[in-house]
Coordinates of all heavy atoms in Angstrom, one line a residue:
V417 N -9.7 11.1 14.4 CA -10.4 10.1 15.2 C -11.6 9.6 14.6 O -12.5 10.5 14.3 CB -10.7 10.6 16.7 CG1 -11.2 9.5 17.5 CG2 -9.4 11.0 17.2
A418 N -11.7 8.3 14.3 CA -12.9 7.7 13.6 C -13.6 6.9 14.9 O -13.0 6.5 15.8 CB -12.6 6.9 12.5
E419 N -14.8 6.5 14.5 CA -15.6 5.7 15.5 C -16.1 4.4 14.9 O -16.6 4.4 13.8 CB -16.8 6.5 16.0 CG -17.5 5.9 17.1 CD -18.6 6.8 17.8 OE1 -19.2 7.6 17.1 OE2 -18.8 6.6 18.9
I420 N -15.8 3.3 15.6 CA -16.3 2.0 15.1 C -17.7 1.8 15.5 O -18.0 2.0 16.7 CB -15.3 0.9 15.7 CG1 -13.8 1.1 15.3 CG2 -15.9 -0.4 15.1 CD1 -13.7 1.2 13.8
T421 N -18.7 1.6 14.5 CA -20.0 1.4 14.9 C -20.4 0.1 14.2 O -19.8 -0.5 13.5 CB -20.8 2.6 14.4 OG1 -21.0 2.4 12.9 CG2 -20.3 4.0 14.7
A422 N -21.7 -0.2 14.5 CA -22.2 -1.5 13.9 C -22.4 -1.3 12.5 O -22.4 -2.3 11.7 CB -23.6 -1.8 14.6
N423 N -22.5 -0.1 12.0 CA -22.7 0.1 10.5 C -21.5 0.5 9.7 O -21.5 0.6 8.5 CB -23.7 1.3 10.5 CG -25.0 1.1 11.0 OD1 -25.5 0.0 11.0 ND2 -25.7 2.0 11.5
G424 N -20.4 0.6 10.4 CA -19.0 0.8 9.8 C -18.2 1.8 10.6 O -18.6 2.1 11.7
I425 N -17.1 2.1 10.0 CA -16.3 3.1 10.6 C -16.6 4.6 10.2 O -16.7 5.0 9.1 CB -14.8 2.9 10.1 CG1 -14.4 1.4 10.4 CG2 -13.9 3.9 10.8 CD1 -13.2 1.0 9.7
N426 N -17.1 5.3 11.2 CA -17.7 6.6 10.9 C -16.6 7.7 11.2 O -16.1 7.7 12.1 CB -18.8 6.8 11.8 CG -19.6 8.2 11.5 OD1 -19.1 9.0 10.7 ND2 -20.7 8.3 12.2
F427 N -16.4 8.5 10.1 CA -15.5 9.6 10.2 C -16.0 10.7 9.3 O -16.2 10.6 8.1 CB -14.1 9.1 9.7 CG -13.2 10.3 9.7 CD1 -12.8 10.7 10.9 CD2 -12.6 10.8 8.5 CE1 -11.8 11.8 11.0 CE2 -11.8 12.0 8.6 CZ -11.3 12.4 9.8
I437 N -11.1 -5.6 8.6 CA -11.9 -5.1 9.8 C -13.2 -5.9 10.1 O -13.4 -6.3 11.1 CB -12.3 -3.6 9.6 CG1 -11.0 -2.7 9.5 CG2 -13.2 -3.2 10.8 CD1 -10.1 -2.7 10.6
I438 N -13.8 -6.4 8.9 CA -14.9 -7.3 9.1 C -14.5 -8.5 9.6 O -15.1 -9.2 10.6 CB -15.6 -7.5 7.6 CG1 -16.3 -6.1 7.2 CG2 -16.6 -8.6 7.6 CD1 -16.8 -6.2 5.8
L440 N -11.9 -9.2 11.5 CA -11.6 -9.1 12.9 C -12.9 -8.9 13.7 O -12.8 -9.0 15.1 CB -10.8 -7.9 13.1 CG -9.3 -7.9 12.5 CD1 -8.6 -6.5 12.6 CD2 -8.6 -9.0 13.3
G441 N -14.0 -8.8 13.2 CA -15.3 -8.7 13.9 C -15.5 -7.4 14.6 O -16.3 -7.4 15.6
W442 N -14.9 -6.4 14.1 CA -15.1 -5.0 14.8 C -16.6 -4.5 14.9 O -17.0 -4.1 15.9 CB -14.2 -4.0 14.2 CG -12.8 -4.1 14.5 CD1 -12.1 -5.2 15.2 CD2 -11.8 -3.1 14.3 NE1 -10.9 -4.8 15.3 CE2 -10.6 -3.6 14.7 CE3 -11.8 -1.8 13.8 CZ2 -9.4 -2.9 14.7 CZ3 -10.7 -1.2 13.7 CH2 -9.4 -1.6 14.2
F443 N -17.3 -4.8 13.8 CA -18.7 -4.2 13.8 C -19.5 -5.0 14.7 O -20.4 -4.4 15.2 CB -19.1 -4.2 12.2 CG -18.2 -3.4 11.3 CD1 -18.0 -3.9 10.0 CD2 -17.7 -2.2 11.6 CE1 -17.2 -3.2 9.2 CE2 -16.8 -1.6 10.8 CZ -16.6 -2.0 9.6
E444 N -19.4 -6.3 14.7 CA -20.1 -7.2 15.6 C -19.8 -6.7 17.0 O -20.7 -6.7 17.9 CB -19.9 -8.7 15.4 CG -20.4 -9.2 14.1 CD -19.6 -9.1 12.9 OE1 -18.4 -8.4 13.0 OE2 -19.9 -9.4 11.9
R445 N -18.6 -6.4 17.3 CA -18.1 -6.1 18.6 C -18.7 -4.9 19.0 O -19.1 -4.6 20.2 CB -16.6 -5.9 18.8 CG -16.1 -6.0 20.1 CD -14.6 -6.1 20.2 NE -14.0 -7.0 19.3 CZ -12.8 -6.9 18.7 NH1 -12.2 -5.9 19.0 NH2 -12.3 -7.8 17.9
A446 N -19.0 -3.9 18.1 CA -19.5 -2.6 18.4 C -21.1 -2.8 18.8 O -21.6 -2.0 19.6 CB -19.5 -1.6 17.2
V447 N -21.7 -3.8 18.2 CA -23.0 -4.1 18.5 C -23.2 -4.7 20.0 O -24.0 -4.3 20.8 CB -23.6 -5.2 17.6 CG1 -25.1 -5.6 18.1 CG2 -23.8 -4.7 16.2
I448 N -22.2 -5.5 20.3 CA -22.3 -6.2 21.7 C -21.7 -5.3 22.8 O -22.3 -5.2 23.9 CB -21.5 -7.4 21.6 CG1 -22.2 -8.4 20.6 CG2 -21.3 -8.1 22.9 CD1 -21.3 -9.6 20.2
K449 N -20.5 -4.6 22.5 CA -19.9 -4.1 23.6 C -20.0 -2.4 23.4 O -19.6 -1.7 24.4 CB -18.4 -4.4 23.6 CG -18.2 -5.8 23.9 CD -16.8 -6.0 24.1 CE -16.6 -7.5 24.5 NZ -15.0 -7.9 24.8
G450 N -20.6 -2.0 22.4 CA -20.7 -0.5 22.3 C -19.6 0.1 21.2 O -18.6 -0.7 21.0
E451 N -19.8 1.2 20.9 CA -19.0 1.9 19.8 C -17.6 2.5 20.5 O -17.7 2.5 21.8 CB -19.7 3.1 19.3 CG -20.9 2.6 18.6 CD -21.9 3.7 18.0 OE1 -21.6 4.8 18.4 OE2 -22.6 3.4 17.2
W452 N -16.6 2.5 19.7 CA -15.4 3.0 20.4 C -14.6 3.8 19.3 O -14.9 3.7 18.2 CB -14.4 1.9 20.9 CG -13.7 1.0 20.0 CD1 -12.5 1.0 19.5 CD2 -14.3 -0.1 19.3 NE1 -12.2 0.0 18.7 CE2 -13.4 -0.7 18.5 CE3 -15.5 -0.9 19.5 CZ2 -13.5 -1.9 17.8 CZ3 -15.8 -2.1 18.8 CH2 -14.7 -2.5 17.9
K453 N -13.6 4.6 19.7 CA -12.9 5.5 18.9 C -11.5 4.9 18.5 O -10.9 4.2 19.4 CB -12.8 6.8 19.4 CG -14.1 7.6 19.7 CD -13.9 8.9 20.2 CE -15.2 9.6 20.4 NZ -16.3 9.5 19.5
I454 N -11.0 5.2 17.3 CA -9.6 4.7 16.9 C -9.0 5.9 16.2 O -9.5 6.6 15.7 CB -9.8 3.5 15.9 CG1 -10.7 3.9 14.7 CG2 -10.4 2.3 16.6 CD1 -10.5 2.8 13.6
P455 N -7.6 5.9 16.3 CA -6.8 7.0 15.6 C -6.7 6.5 14.2 O -6.5 5.4 13.9 CB -5.5 6.9 16.3 CG -5.4 5.5 16.8 CD -6.8 5.0 17.2
I456 N -6.8 7.5 13.2 CA -6.6 7.3 11.9 C -5.7 8.4 11.2 O -5.5 9.3 11.9 CB -8.0 7.3 11.2 CG1 -8.7 8.6 11.2 CG2 -8.8 6.2 11.6 CD1 -9.8 8.9 10.2
I468 N -6.2 3.3 9.1 CA -6.4 3.0 10.4 C -5.1 2.6 11.0 O -4.4 1.7 10.4 CB -7.5 1.8 10.5 CG1 -8.8 2.2 10.0 CG2 -7.6 1.4 12.1 CD1 -9.7 1.1 9.6
L469 N -4.8 3.2 12.2 CA -3.4 2.8 12.9 C -3.7 1.7 13.8 O -4.2 1.8 15.0 CB -2.9 4.1 13.6 CG -2.7 5.4 12.8 CD1 -2.5 6.6 13.6 CD2 -1.8 5.2 11.6
H470 N -3.5 0.4 13.3 CA -3.6 -0.8 14.1 C -2.2 -1.3 14.5 O -1.3 -1.1 13.7 CB -4.4 -1.8 13.2 CG -4.9 -2.9 13.8 ND1 -4.3 -4.1 13.8 CD2 -6.0 -3.1 14.5 CE1 -4.9 -5.1 14.5 NE2 -5.9 -4.4 15.0
P471 N -2.2 -2.0 15.6 CA -0.9 -2.4 16.1 C -0.1 -3.2 15.0 O -0.6 -4.1 14.2 CB -1.2 -3.4 17.2 CG -2.6 -2.9 17.8 CD -3.2 -2.3 16.6

Side-chain angles (χ1 to χ4, degrees):
V417 177
E419 187 169 34
I420 304 298
T421 74
N423 295 328
I425 303 164
N426 186 352
F427 179 67
I437 300 303
I438 293 170
L440 291 171
W442 285 14
F443 304 141
E444 288 86 0
R445 197 173 315 148
V447 171
I448 297 166
K449 295 186 177 184
E451 300 172 348
W452 73 93
K453 296 185 185 311
I454 58 166
I456 63 159
I468 300 162
L469 304 175
H470 192 262

